[in-house]
Amino acid sequence: MSVYVVGITGGSGAPYTKRLLEALLQTEHQVKAVISAAGEEVLKIELGLHLEGTLKHKEEQLKVLLDVDKPDIELELFDPKDLTASISSGSFPSAGMVIAPCSMGTLGRIAMGASSNLVERAADVMLKERRPLILVPRETPLSEIHLRNMLWVRRAGAEVLPAMPGFYHNPRSISDLVDFIVGRILDRLGIQNNLFRRWKEEEAPAYLSLDEF
């Protein structure tokens, strides 16, 4: 299967992150993840995940959160300060990258081409290699600076997919709202999924189990 890079930064939206990682791993894709310091704080506040210890220890803690214990499922965590990591090079083969949540600071630095950490460098690589880059901001209201930066990254080749769920699928839980956004992310990556009921669709068959937060 394919290899995807997932960046996790500041800004509310950790449930989207968790569900995205689950969906990618359950469909047997490889995931290379990078979590910024602010991203770790969001995971702690919104999911109760306290990442501590070495990078390997943090990786194991993340796998426990995702209930990943199969040896053939691949999840690798990178140090956000390690700009020599494999995903910092265009020669590393990947099918695309998602940053969820994507803070406005991260989005702004990507728009300016400023790579201050591995998340931003990996995103820069996606743009220069013309690979899919999906940014999932969760901010409201939006300033003119935010809107301008979104326009710039869009013109550079990124897709801006705000965490703005619809309601036409008649959501009955927070999980339904989360799955709507994650399903749309997977759509943009070209990954088949039935995470939400689509417009005019009577009933969507179960594809991945829903989780309670």
Side-chain angles (χ1 to χ4, degrees), residues 8-13 36-42 100-104 106 136 138:
I8 304 165
T9 65
S12 183
S36 69
E40 287 192 9
E41 189 66 20
V42 170
C102 181
S103 70
M104 286 303 170
T106 297
V136 187
R138 210 299 313 162

Side-chain angles (χ1 to χ4, degrees), residues 107 110-113 123-124 126-128 130-131 133 135 144-161:
L107 192 149
I110 293 171
M112 296 296 104
D124 190 50
M126 296 296 153
L127 293 177
K128 79 182 185 69
R130 297 186 179 275
R131 296 171 185 162
L133 172 62
L135 308 180
E144 181 175 342
I145 294 173
H146 298 155
L147 294 169
R148 183 184 63 205
N149 287 338
M150 288 182 184
L151 180 59
W152 284 358
V153 295
R154 184 65 187 94
R155 286 175 174 171
E159 293 201 54
V160 180
L161 198 158

Side-chain angles (χ1 to χ4, degrees), residues 62-199:
L62 187 58
K63 287 181 178 180
V64 170
L65 173 72
L66 301 173
D67 194 22
V68 176
D69 55 8
K70 296 181 180 179
D72 57 336
I73 292 181
E74 296 191 40
L75 171 64
E76 183 177 4
L77 186 62
F78 290 90
D79 186 333
K81 298 179 181 178
D82 184 10
L83 294 179
T84 66
S86 58
I87 60 174
S88 69
S89 172
S91 65
F92 179 80
S94 68
M97 179 178 185
V98 181
I99 303 180
C102 181
S103 70
M104 286 303 170
T106 297
L107 192 149
R109 286 185 289 275
I110 293 171
M112 296 296 104
S115 301
S116 66
N117 59 37
L118 184 57
V119 175
E120 294 155 11
R121 170 55 188 169
D124 190 50
V125 166
M126 296 296 153
L127 293 177
K128 79 182 185 69
E129 298 294 331
R130 297 186 179 275
R131 296 171 185 162
L133 172 62
I134 301 174
L135 308 180
V136 187
R138 210 299 313 162
E139 183 69 83
T140 189
L142 298 171
S143 73
E144 181 175 342
I145 294 173
H146 298 155
L147 294 169
R148 183 184 63 205
N149 287 338
M150 288 182 184
L151 180 59
W152 284 358
V153 295
R154 184 65 187 94
R155 286 175 174 171
E159 293 201 54
V160 180
L161 198 158
M164 299 165 58
F167 291 87
Y168 59 79
H169 59 304
N170 298 319
R172 298 180 181 179
S173 66
I174 293 177
S175 292
D176 289 344
L177 295 173
V178 170
D179 277 1
F180 182 92
I181 294 299
V182 174
R184 295 294 284 145
I185 294 171
L186 297 179
D187 284 350
R188 302 313 300 158
L189 292 174
I191 299 175
Q192 183 178 4
N193 71 92
N194 292 312
L195 287 185
F196 64 100
R197 185 170 64 85
R198 301 173 186 278
W199 180 246

Side-chain angles (χ1 to χ4, degrees), residues 3-69:
V3 179
Y4 291 97
V5 179
V6 175
I8 304 165
T9 65
S12 183
Y16 296 113
T17 304
K18 178 176 181 288
R19 191 62 171 135
L20 174 63
L21 291 173
E22 288 175 344
L24 289 173
L25 292 172
Q26 288 177 13
T27 48
E28 299 182 352
H29 293 290
Q30 296 182 37
V31 174
K32 309 296 182 181
V34 191
I35 310 174
S36 69
E40 287 192 9
E41 189 66 20
V42 170
L43 292 177
K44 180 172 68 175
I45 294 171
E46 298 185 354
L47 295 180
L49 176 61
H50 297 255
L51 294 177
E52 300 175 331
T54 66
L55 187 65
K56 193 63 179 177
H57 288 152
K58 291 181 178 181
E59 182 180 293
E60 292 303 318
Q61 292 165 46
L62 187 58
K63 287 181 178 180
V64 170
L65 173 72
L66 301 173
D67 194 22
V68 176
D69 55 8

